[in-house]
Amino acid sequence: MSGACQGAGVGNASQSGQLDVSALLKNFQVGYDRRVRPNYGGMPVSVGVSLYVLSVGEISEKFMDYTFDMYFRQFWVDGRLRFDKKDGAEKLVVGADYINLIWVPDTFFVNEKVARFHAATQDNQFLRITHLGEILRSMRLTVKATCPMDLSHFPMDSQLCTLEIESYGYAMADLVYFWNDGVKSVEVSPDVSLAEFHVVGYRQRRVLEVLTSGNYSRLCADILFGRSMGYYVIQVYVPSSLIVVMSWVSFYLDRSSAPARVGLGVTTVLTMVTLMGSVNRSLPKISYMKALDIYLAVCFFMVFGALLEYATVSYTGKRIKLNQRRFEEFKKKVEEMKAQLDKQREKEVHLLNMEQMKPPYWDTRHADFCPVKALQNQLYYLDRAPLTPPLPSTANPPTTLWGVRASDIERYARIAFPLIFFSFHLMYWTILISISGHTVEDLIAVKS
């Protein structure tokens, strides 16, 4: 068949020796079946692939995908399209319509969500055929592909997004893919720029995909994106830190200014809740903690702790005042009881004095034989000391609760809260910077 095509190509040369392209393209279709791959029943067709990324439109963490624009090129050999070159005419460059008349690989993107051709002002693709039957098909595509992301280190993370290229129907026995230009088969324009990411580098891989329908050849192009965290520093980290610092102002306000301190504490807590909600609104609902979640959670607990600190101070002050009031009441009751005892003692002493007056005829020696008279005799000579023991001297009113004053809590909080927060900052950034690096083997760096 290929010989017939060659003969047709030679026969359609004009008498002047120039190649008649229109006749040659028509003669290509004589006996040509576009449904049958080249070299059917023999060696598999080798399809070379190269791509050039023009731009990256969007990387969405919420939907786990990325969009990019590229030149996608495929190279293969179809012996049925050979022709004799004339006057140096070694290749034909034909319009995109002719692609529908010849066999082309059924290439598809495995992880594609949406893909579209560009048709302004004409279809952005072309076909090139050499005299050896070598075919180049080039097209411009915009592809939205899935990109599974690990957001554990967000926002100091880097994401490796892949474009997977495979034949939909031809197994490896019929079609094999390879990178046409070696290590330079995948290229990224140095002008690619994104608001939130920057392209760190890219690499290319060739894998064997084993499915129930057979073994398939697959090409993978990986692009590593590093996140630019300037936005999150300005919009999240700095405001949340300032909110925490602002909550410390309540430590220096008067403890009796309850409306001011409660209002400041509630405001900072609600502001942190709003900030946490606005950050996570644009992210997927993942089941694990992100690095930013840890930071915001600590900030939330710091401002909530400042509010609880005032509650503790207020409770301590009220308990101390309650204990002082109870002490005063107890002291007053003790004084009343002491006055009553003094009056009772005076009455008892007066009665004893009356009973202890001895009559003239009383013989003291008779007291040794009469117990009642003996007791009266002893009471008569009793010293004038008070009948009730003296009460211990009263102590000072209590000024602490469990050994702690309300002012002590304020003083400790002014030191403990900043110390804890600054220590957390040091530990947080040290750990995050040390674990946030994404190491990828065989990565080709993008030249700025």
Side-chain angles (χ1 to χ4, degrees), residues 14 113 140 143 152 160 179-180 191 215 263 267 270-271 315 322 341 368:
S14 63
K113 283 187 174 181
R140 183 186 174 195
V143 179
S152 300
L160 187 66
W179 291 110
N180 189 72
D191 298 329
N215 299 335
T267 301
L270 294 180
T271 304
Y315 173 77
L322 178 61
L341 290 175
D368 297 333

Side-chain angles (χ1 to χ4, degrees), residues 394-430:
T394 57
N396 295 326
T399 58
T400 62
L401 181 64
W402 300 309
V404 179
R405 297 184 179 89
S407 59
D408 295 337
I409 299 176
E410 295 277 37
R411 186 165 57 253
Y412 297 152
R414 293 169 188 171
I415 299 174
F417 274 75
L419 184 61
I420 294 173
F421 191 62
F422 292 142
S423 300
F424 165 74
H425 260 272
L426 181 62
M427 181 176 62
Y428 177 85
W429 292 110
T430 301

Side-chain angles (χ1 to χ4, degrees), residues 72 93 100 135 137 210 255 361 421:
F72 184 70
V93 180
N100 298 324
I135 301 174
R137 183 189 183 188
V210 179
R255 292 191 297 273
Y361 55 86
F421 191 62

Side-chain angles (χ1 to χ4, degrees), residues 116-300:
R116 68 180 181 88
F117 293 93
H118 290 260
T121 57
Q122 292 291 330
D123 289 343
N124 293 177
Q125 60 177 326
F126 70 86
L127 187 68
R128 184 179 295 165
I129 306 173
T130 68
H131 68 286
L132 299 176
E134 298 172 345
I135 301 174
L136 163 62
R137 183 189 183 188
S138 178
M139 65 189 78
R140 183 186 174 195
L141 298 174
T142 296
V143 179
K144 177 184 286 187
T146 59
C147 180
M149 301 181 186
D150 181 12
L151 300 176
S152 300
H153 302 155
F154 179 88
M156 289 193 66
D157 59 327
S158 55
Q159 303 298 335
L160 187 66
C161 296
T162 303
L163 178 66
E164 300 176 350
I165 304 166
E166 186 181 311
S167 170
Y168 192 82
Y170 291 104
M172 291 189 66
D174 296 311
L175 191 148
V176 176
Y177 286 99
F178 68 96
W179 291 110
N180 189 72
D181 299 328
V183 296
K184 296 183 178 180
S185 299
V186 177
E187 294 183 333
V188 178
S189 172
D191 298 329
V192 172
S193 62
L194 296 92
E196 191 175 343
F197 289 88
H198 61 276
V199 181
V200 178
Y202 55 90
R203 69 175 182 181
Q204 56 200 40
R205 295 180 290 128
R206 184 180 178 185
V207 298
L208 172 64
E209 189 68 20
V210 179
L211 302 175
T212 57
S213 58
N215 299 335
Y216 293 84
S217 175
R218 178 178 294 184
L219 300 179
C220 299
D222 302 326
I223 303 178
L224 182 63
F225 297 97
R227 192 182 302 275
S228 302
M229 61 174 303
Y231 169 82
Y232 294 95
V233 171
I234 298 173
Q235 299 294 330
V236 180
Y237 283 102
V238 173
S240 58
S241 299
L242 293 178
I243 291 171
V244 173
V245 174
M246 186 175 64
S247 68
W248 301 341
V249 175
S250 64
F251 302 155
Y252 299 91
L253 297 179
D254 186 35
R255 292 191 297 273
S256 61
S257 303
R261 297 192 63 167
V262 173
L264 180 60
V266 173
T267 301
T268 53
V269 170
L270 294 180
T271 304
M272 282 303 307
V273 172
T274 304
L275 184 60
M276 294 169 67
S278 63
V279 170
N280 291 316
R281 193 174 297 118
S282 60
L283 297 175
K285 296 178 176 62
I286 55 180
S287 59
Y288 53 87
M289 291 280 291
K290 304 183 292 293
L292 185 60
D293 292 338
I294 297 174
Y295 184 87
L296 292 177
V298 171
C299 292
F300 174 79

Side-chain angles (χ1 to χ4, degrees), residues 32-46:
Y32 189 95
D33 191 349
R34 62 184 296 270
R35 298 170 297 177
V36 180
R37 71 171 178 87
N39 196 26
Y40 186 82
M43 296 295 293
V45 180
S46 296

